[in-house]
Amino acid sequence: MTGVDRRTFLIGAAVAGAVSTGTAHAAAPLFEHGVASGDPLPDGVLLWTRVVTSSPVAWEVAADAEFQRVVKRGVTRAAAARDHTVKIEVHHLRPNTRYWYRFRVGDVVSPVGRTKTSGCGSELRLGVVSCANWSVGHFAGYGFLAQQELDAVIHLGDYIYEGYSTELRVPDPAHKCVTLDDYRRRHAQYKTDQHVQAVHAAHPMIATWDDHESADNSSSIGSPSHDPATDGPWGARLAAATQAYFEWMPVREGKLDRIFRFGELATLSMLDLRSYRTDTTILGAAQRDWLINTLTTDPARWQLVGNSVMISPFKIPPLPGQPPSNPDQWDGFPADRELVLRSLGARKNTVFLTGDIHSSWACDVPLNGESVATEYIVTSLTSDNFDELLKVPPRTGSLVLEAQIMALNPHAKFVELDSHGVSTLHVTADEVRMDWHYVADKRDPNSAVARAHSFRTRHNTAHTERVLF
Ligand SMILES: [Fe+2]
């Protein structure tokens, strides 16, 4: 880094604001939403930033953090039609290799991001995260992931929440998101968060969405929290949510069901369980065929599936006002589930990685009384879970309920209903291990984060077991 670059970078956004653009948005600093990368390939990665300027936006990728060895560079422009977001497809990089990147407008330089191409190593380390509700907590878990040595971070959805509540932090806009402008503003607000910026700057993200990127329990045909009388047509709202997501997230355009290859070690199939969902299918025919084909023919040792909602059956213990199962998860689509699980046959190295239900689980995934896969569920980063929904202190009644759940669902080997945090996944030829790291206090932006539980699936077993540490 040259002296000028270093000074500009260190002084950061404050200086950037002083030399801003002279447009209607001149008060906003350049690069106030940070930088991000995503969707790593063996030879490339997607870079992202947002910058409100009519000037050219230069970018560069280097093999070192000091930018002594720049390997790619180019110039692009930000456009209002894309809410001034910028995406760069970088190709012809080396596999399984770290790179650093930054953007520049005039002499204002963005924060430096670090990324990594995918590829074949002897191990794979992934962050796993879901359900980051700005209103109810701080994102110390993202900050923890930013400090880890990871190949990528998998986001399983609820990256934003579209609703409006003011429990800890006040969302923008000050109402639930319905229009394109609403969703853009909500995404923009999340990307001002220090921990969101840190995790994006540290690792490439592999993201899919769940419901709250559009509306609660959404599908292609609607959402129970959507009222056409006041919110307008569902199709228009879903299109707005979708456009804002693709503008603001470091994902390739158009399709969230997609594949990532980590050499002979692992293949990751990311699912989109909202866009093609109807009353009768959670996958849609094309995604179902693609998933089954991958799980049955892909040669990698491990088949990882990024799966926004729980695939293991879940019989809910009898509770006042509770239905016996949750039809928003795969339990509501038994035909699709049976087709997928039956296809696994003798293959025992499928591991589902799941979010959505704001609690921590390790499950054997059963079919006709036998385990055919394993499932690891990351808890919510901040979204309310059992103790908060019931407004009781942590571990009050949860221990009893967890025991009831495991008695009714013997394929569930671990259930923890109260804690928030993130997970990391360590993949080797011998095993896939999930570690749950819990935040001590989700209301504290500087909260401690510590490993709390570990489970693993050994090669060719389709069973999960606790790892003591
Ligand atoms: Fe959620």
Side-chain angles (χ1 to χ4, degrees):
M1 201 181 275
T2 68
V4 171
D5 291 344
R6 183 184 301 279
R7 189 168 64 243
T8 313
F9 170 64
L10 289 176
I11 298 170
V15 166
V19 293
S20 191
T21 58
T23 68
H25 293 78
L30 296 180
F31 304 115
E32 67 175 320
H33 301 101
V35 299
S37 71
D39 283 9
L41 300 171
D43 75 332
V45 71
L46 191 80
L47 307 182
W48 179 97
T49 193
R50 179 176 187 269
V51 55
V52 180
T53 179
S54 55
S55 303
V57 181
W59 58 270
E60 53 191 0
V61 176
D64 64 304
E66 287 73 40
F67 290 82
Q68 298 295 312
R69 290 177 288 140
V70 172
V71 296
K72 296 283 167 196
R73 55 163 52 102
V75 177
T76 188
R77 283 184 186 274
R82 301 291 296 167
D83 202 14
H84 311 281
T85 59
V86 169
K87 285 186 190 176
I88 305 293
E89 272 287 2
V90 185
H91 283 300
H92 307 297
L93 301 178
R94 294 175 186 276
N96 204 29
T97 302
R98 277 214 184 287
Y99 291 95
W100 287 259
Y101 61 95
R102 62 186 177 185
F103 299 85
R104 182 196 304 262
V105 173
D107 56 6
V108 179
V109 182
S110 74
V112 171
R114 188 184 69 163
T115 191
K116 193 176 182 190
T117 50
S118 67
C120 193
S122 59
E123 60 178 357
L124 175 64
R125 292 178 188 274
L126 299 167
V128 186
V129 62
S130 76
C131 297
N133 189 340
W134 163 284
S135 306
V136 301
H138 285 281
F139 297 153
Y142 280 151
F144 171 84
L145 287 180
Q147 301 300 319
Q148 309 304 304
E149 277 298 312
L150 302 173
D151 293 283
V153 172
I154 299 176
H155 205 297
L156 294 167
D158 293 357
Y159 179 97
I160 62 161
Y161 278 71
E162 89 293 359
Y164 182 71
S165 74
T166 58
E167 201 176 310
L168 181 71
R169 295 197 278 182
V170 178
D172 181 67
H175 50 77
K176 76 175 182 185
C177 297
V178 176
T179 68
L180 177 59
D181 185 57
D182 293 341
Y183 284 107
R184 283 171 164 176
R185 283 170 61 179
R186 190 62 57 89
H187 274 282
Q189 183 182 43
Y190 275 61
K191 279 202 167 64
T192 62
D193 181 279
Q194 58 168 326
H195 296 307
V196 172
Q197 293 195 4
V199 76
H200 279 301
H203 309 295
M205 184 169 278
I206 299 173
T208 189
W209 58 28
D210 196 27
D211 53 336
H212 286 287
E213 283 87 351
S214 53
D216 188 37
N217 287 5
S218 58
S219 74
S220 67
I221 54 179
S223 153
S225 73
H226 179 83
D227 180 359
T230 53
D231 303 333
W234 169 248
R237 185 175 176 192
L238 183 59
T242 303
Q243 180 176 335
Y245 187 87
F246 280 103
E247 288 170 351
W248 280 85
M249 294 297 289
V251 295
R252 289 199 180 82
E253 293 299 299
K255 209 164 137 53
L256 290 175
D257 47 317
R258 62 210 196 281
I259 202 161
F260 296 92
R261 297 182 191 284
F262 297 91
E264 294 170 5
L265 183 62
T267 291
L268 169 64
S269 299
M270 292 297 286
L271 303 185
D272 177 350
L273 300 182
R274 297 292 167 186
S275 297
Y276 318 113
R277 179 186 290 226
T278 66
D279 288 340
T280 54
T281 176
I282 190 170
L283 289 166
Q287 182 176 209
R288 186 174 62 227
D289 291 348
W290 162 74
L291 177 63
I292 289 175
N293 183 54
T294 303
L295 296 181
T296 54
T297 64
D298 187 273
R301 176 85 152 195
W302 296 98
Q303 295 300 314
L304 309 177
V305 183
N307 170 55
S308 57
V309 299
M310 185 174 183
I311 193 164
S312 300
F314 174 26
K315 286 185 195 151
I316 300 176
L319 287 169
Q322 268 295 341
S325 67
N326 175 6
D328 187 62
Q329 51 195 58
W330 285 77
D331 273 336
F333 306 89
D336 273 5
R337 177 168 61 194
E338 185 164 348
L339 282 172
V340 171
L341 296 184
R342 225 175 29 198
S343 78
L344 299 180
R347 294 189 149 214
K348 292 184 177 295
N349 280 2
T350 304
V351 178
F352 292 90
L353 305 171
T354 305
D356 177 55
I357 55 172
H358 307 180
S359 46
S360 311
W361 299 59
C363 298
D364 289 348
V365 182
L367 177 71
N368 301 328
E370 275 191 40
S371 184
V372 295
T374 48
E375 178 172 34
Y376 295 110
I377 305 180
V378 62
T379 189
S380 62
L381 188 58
T382 60
S383 298
D384 286 352
N385 44 28
F386 181 75
D387 54 328
E388 290 150 341
L389 292 170
L390 266 65
K391 306 211 181 309
V392 296
R395 316 315 285 152
T396 307
S398 304
L399 289 166
V400 173
L401 187 55
E402 289 159 10
Q404 287 176 335
I405 288 172
M406 286 193 280
L408 261 180
N409 301 272
H411 52 277
K413 306 302 180 188
F414 163 58
V415 184
E416 206 275 19
L417 296 174
D418 287 337
S419 296
H420 299 282
V422 296
S423 282
T424 51
L425 197 78
H426 186 212
V427 183
T428 65
D430 293 338
E431 66 178 39
V432 171
R433 191 187 78 229
M434 177 91 147
D435 297 326
W436 285 262
H437 311 271
Y438 289 160
V439 300
D441 178 3
K442 75 174 186 181
R443 301 172 74 89
D444 178 3
N446 303 310
S447 174
V449 182
R451 180 173 163 192
H453 300 280
S454 296
F455 277 74
R456 71 175 166 201
T457 305
R458 294 202 219 215
H459 170 58
N460 217 14
T461 65
H463 284 291
T464 184
E465 62 186 33
R466 185 180 282 277
V467 178
L468 299 175
F469 59 92

